[in-house]
């Protein structure tokens, strides 16, 4: 096989890149380790920034998203037994859209298949060769046997546990990392959301988050110990812990219903830089991870591949220096999101080793955000998403 860009990974990063490159008239081949069924049903993130929605809509994959996505104009911070609404729309003029990552993945795969350009699922033993030269190659195994893709560039969109980051020689990457002393237990429940907007609760017993996927599905999270086992959480324990952490003078609580999905996810902050080595470009979770408290992971992945598609289009049009912009432009946004995600996490979670001084500072920060328009506006502009830089657009 011969193509212009070999894309490793069919998550939001790889699929959005394939779509944007197709729109720019650039050929690509997508190689994904899992089955189509698997990637289309993996329950992950769900908050789309205003700019992410616009990009998807303008590029022609936003039709179902516009129809089924839930547009939210605010979020609630809940602490001290009270709810404090952050009016995202009044503070920024923008909104967010709730649309499950797996729904977006389905739309992007359908768009890919409609172009007739290749996408290979169930690829095993994916390896990269020659990323330091002009003719990289991606090899893999599938049901037909050994395959090779000769290409101009490789896009490493294979997530945190993929192979692409590891193909960069030791010493060429600098890694910045933070782990957190807790994890999130997430559930999807067949229950109508009992309020219209997300609620982030900070409680003595730990953090809790109320979200949703549709008028019939509620998504909820609880802060738990980092080594927590799902087996320790019966349905009753989950619901009573959620009720305790959301308890407030308004009497609000999430509706209960059958739990159709449950998982525990660790929390980390991670950045590998630069996001390019030779002819290999890392994008999305392959290059960086944020804790989910700021709802930035999916949006950052889309922002990366937007820049990559613009830089590649300029390179193919004869601008030899365009690709040098990729890593610094992405990293500027990545570090802003790293800070915001760390800050939201630090403000809202219970840290087991915090002393009373640290806890009082945390409370002062929450009260400031709830009371000050300037502080709330800062949260809001990060939450709805800062504008894309437009250099090279
Ligand atoms: N070869 C091919 N594909 C691979 C390999 C490999 N060796 N390793 C992993 N993959 C695939 C995974 O199966 C997955 O489909 O790469 C894809 C990576 O997708 P994501 O992990 O979703 O990462 P990304 O596209 O960067 O999207 C980031 O996803 O994890 C969420 O919250 C995160 O919302 C963020 C978003
Ligand atoms: C979700 O709906 O899954 C969700 C929402 C907001 C977050 C994280 C996850 O900050």
């Amino acid at each position: 096989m011969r193509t212009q860009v070999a894309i490793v990974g069919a998550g939001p990063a790889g699929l959005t890149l394939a779509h944007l490159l197709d729109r720019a008239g650039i050929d690509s081949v997508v190689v994904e380790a899992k089955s189509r069924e698997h990637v289309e049903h993996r329950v992950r993130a769900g908050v789309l920034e205003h700019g992410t929605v616009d990009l998807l809509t303008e590029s022609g994959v936003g039709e179902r998203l516009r129809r089924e996505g839930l547009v939210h104009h605010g979020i609630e911070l809940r602490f001290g037994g009270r709810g404090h609404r952050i009016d995202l729309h009044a503070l920024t003029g923008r909104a967010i859209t709730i649309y499950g990552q797996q729904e977006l993945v389905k739309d992007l795969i359908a768009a890919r298949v409609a172009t007739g350009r290749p996408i290979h699922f169930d690829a095993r033993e994916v390896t990269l060769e020659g990323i330091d030269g002009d003719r990289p190659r991606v090899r893999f195994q599938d049901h037909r046997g050994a395959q090779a893709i000769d290409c101009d560039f490789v896009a490493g969109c294979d997530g945190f546990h993929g192979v692409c980051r590891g193909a960069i020689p030791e010493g060429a990457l600098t890694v910045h990392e933070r782990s957190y002393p807790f994890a999130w237990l997430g559930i999807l429940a067949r229950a109508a959301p009992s309020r219209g907007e997300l609620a982030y609760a900070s409680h003595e017993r730990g953090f809790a988050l109320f979200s949703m996927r549709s008028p019939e599905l509620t998504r909820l999270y609880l802060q738990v110990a980092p080594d927590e086992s799902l087996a320790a959480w019966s349905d009753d324990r989950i619901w009573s812990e959620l009720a305790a952490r959301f308890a407030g003078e308004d009497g609000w609580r999430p509706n209960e219903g059958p739990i159709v999905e449950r998982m525990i996810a660790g929390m980390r902050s991670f950045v590998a830089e630069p996001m390019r080595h030779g002819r290999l470009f890392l994008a999305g979770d392959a290059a960086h991870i944020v804790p989910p408290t700021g709802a930035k992971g999916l949006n950052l992945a889309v922002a990366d591949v937007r820049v990559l598609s613009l830089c590649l289009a300029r390179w193919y049009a004869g601008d030899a220096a365009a690709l040098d912009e990729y890593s610094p432009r992405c990293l500027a946004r990545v570090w802003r999101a790293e800070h915001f995600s760390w800050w939201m996490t630090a403000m809202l979670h219970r840290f087991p080793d915090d002393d009373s001084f640290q806890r009082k500072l945390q409370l002062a920060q929450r009260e400031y955000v709830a009371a000050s328009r300037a502080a709330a506006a800062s949260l809001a502009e990060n939450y709805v998403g800062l504008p894309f830089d437009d250099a090279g657009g």
Side-chain angles (χ1 to χ4, degrees):
M1 281 180 264
R2 166 93 193 103
T3 191
Q4 291 174 295
V5 183
I7 300 175
V8 183
L15 291 167
T16 305
L17 179 63
H19 174 66
L20 295 175
L21 290 179
D22 173 67
R23 304 280 301 189
I26 297 170
D27 191 42
S28 67
V29 174
V30 182
V31 180
E32 162 61 46
K34 304 282 196 212
S35 67
R36 177 171 179 176
E37 168 77 12
H38 179 92
V39 298
E40 288 189 342
H41 292 93
R42 212 163 28 192
V43 178
R44 305 284 265 290
V47 174
L48 303 188
E49 293 176 359
H50 167 94
T52 302
V53 172
D54 283 354
L55 177 72
L56 294 167
T57 306
E58 284 157 18
S59 67
V61 281
E63 198 263 325
R64 192 163 71 96
L65 157 64
R66 289 276 177 189
R67 200 159 20 92
E68 297 179 14
L70 308 171
V71 176
H72 287 193
H73 290 107
I75 58 170
E76 184 178 75
L77 301 184
R78 236 174 135 75
F79 59 91
R82 290 189 51 215
H84 310 266
R85 183 165 187 265
I86 307 288
D87 191 332
L88 301 172
H89 195 258
L91 291 162
T92 66
R94 298 183 164 201
I96 52 155
T97 300
I98 309 297
Y99 192 65
Q101 177 169 315
Q102 77 274 23
E103 301 308 316
L104 179 59
V105 162
K106 284 179 201 158
D107 297 345
L108 287 164
I109 290 176
R112 175 69 180 183
V113 169
T115 64
R117 296 196 199 262
I119 177 162
H120 301 275
F121 292 100
D122 299 301
R124 297 182 314 276
E125 296 168 44
V126 177
T127 54
L128 313 190
E129 288 169 15
I131 55 172
D132 284 303
D134 289 349
R135 279 278 169 272
R137 174 175 285 178
V138 174
R139 292 184 185 276
F140 63 100
Q141 299 277 336
D142 71 4
H143 63 280
R144 295 160 304 173
Q147 307 290 337
I149 311 168
D150 291 308
C151 55
D152 299 330
F153 300 102
V154 179
C157 301
D158 51 349
F160 185 66
H161 299 289
V163 293
C164 290
R165 193 175 63 251
I168 298 177
E170 190 101 13
L173 276 188
T174 303
V175 165
H176 308 275
E177 209 169 357
R178 188 65 90 235
S179 63
Y180 298 87
F182 38 75
W184 277 15
L185 186 163
I187 63 163
L188 194 63
R190 205 166 289 292
S194 61
R195 51 180 292 126
E197 294 178 346
L198 274 55
Y200 288 79
S202 183
H203 190 277
E204 283 286 290
R205 301 178 66 90
F207 169 84
L209 169 60
F210 169 85
S211 179
M212 64 198 71
R213 283 292 177 276
S214 71
E216 297 84 34
L217 285 173
T218 300
R219 180 96 168 125
L220 293 148
Y221 298 92
L222 284 170
Q223 174 185 350
V224 295
D227 55 355
E228 191 69 73
S229 142
L230 266 182
W233 288 83
S234 66
D235 291 13
D236 281 351
R237 183 174 175 207
I238 291 172
W239 290 115
S240 66
E241 191 61 32
L242 285 163
R245 296 189 192 181
F246 286 117
E249 52 196 39
D250 57 4
W252 176 80
R253 59 185 289 171
N255 286 335
E256 297 182 15
I259 298 178
V260 293
E261 184 83 45
R262 65 185 82 207
M263 48 66 111
I264 291 189
M267 308 264 283
R268 75 166 82 221
S269 299
F270 174 94
V271 181
E273 54 182 44
M275 289 168 59
R276 170 192 183 183
H277 181 81
R279 295 258 174 153
L280 168 64
F281 296 85
L282 300 178
D285 279 14
H288 43 73
I289 298 285
V290 286
T293 329
K296 289 286 154 253
L298 168 60
N299 295 291
L300 272 186
V302 170
D304 286 350
V305 298
R306 173 185 169 275
V307 174
L308 184 53
S309 67
L310 293 171
C311 291
L312 285 168
R314 279 169 48 208
W315 189 87
Y316 280 111
D319 177 354
L323 297 170
D324 296 340
E325 291 177 23
Y326 173 68
S327 179
R329 279 177 62 182
C330 288
L331 285 167
R333 187 179 190 84
V334 166
W335 277 111
R336 176 86 295 281
E338 289 287 344
H339 178 269
F340 177 66
S341 305
W342 164 84
W343 176 81
M344 285 282 279
T345 304
M347 176 171 68
L348 296 171
H349 287 74
R350 170 85 196 248
F351 285 71
D353 293 335
D354 274 0
D355 59 11
S356 65
F357 182 78
Q358 200 62 40
R359 305 252 300 276
K360 287 285 188 186
L361 290 182
Q362 218 187 0
L363 176 59
Q365 178 68 63
R366 288 193 291 269
E367 285 179 339
Y368 180 50
V369 171
S372 154
R373 186 180 170 90
S378 170
L379 187 159
E381 74 165 349
N382 281 280
Y383 197 86
V384 301
L386 291 158
F388 292 133
D389 70 345
D390 54 5

